[in-house]
Amino acid sequence: MLPLTETTLARINALFPECQRESAIELLEQRCADNLPFFEQATPESSERIRHAVLKLSGGRFPSLLQAVTLANKDWRDILVAAGFATDPQAHTR
């Protein structure tokens, strides 16, 4: 498990209704963390870009979040491309 940053928690709170927030947090902490391929040395800060990408792609819908996290577990680079975060390492902060 890899905890979320305050910024990521704020995005979850903005995107998801209260009844889904705990599920979204648990999903990101457990399945979108240092278990991603080639991301074994991840930290909460280094995983923020990928986590923000799956959140963006979810559009605040839990099934879409689950789908994006599943794709990230195959190849998280595809998630960065789909979210528009591939070429700019700071794009997720804007």
Side-chain angles (χ1 to χ4, degrees):
M1 186 181 97
L2 195 62
L4 304 179
T5 63
E6 290 298 320
T7 305
T8 303
L9 287 170
R11 292 210 180 182
I12 289 170
N13 290 336
L15 284 170
F16 289 93
E18 189 172 346
C19 63
Q20 293 181 342
R21 290 177 189 157
E22 192 59 40
S23 296
I25 290 168
E26 184 177 314
L27 180 64
L28 293 182
E29 286 180 337
Q30 293 181 4
R31 295 199 45 217
C32 193
D34 52 0
N35 61 316
L36 295 174
F38 308 108
F39 213 62
E40 295 81 14
Q41 301 302 318
T43 64
E45 292 74 24
S46 68
S47 62
E48 194 172 77
R49 185 175 173 208
I50 297 168
R51 287 173 166 173
H52 286 212
V54 297
L55 288 169
K56 179 179 179 182
L57 294 174
S58 78
R61 294 177 309 275
F62 191 80
S64 297
L65 178 64
L66 182 57
Q67 183 179 14
V69 169
T70 299
L71 179 58
N73 276 269
K74 292 178 183 161
D75 192 336
W76 51 266
R77 297 168 297 181
D78 291 337
I79 291 296
L80 295 180
V81 170
F85 296 171
T87 59
D88 181 359
Q90 296 303 314
H92 70 284
T93 63
R94 295 189 260 308

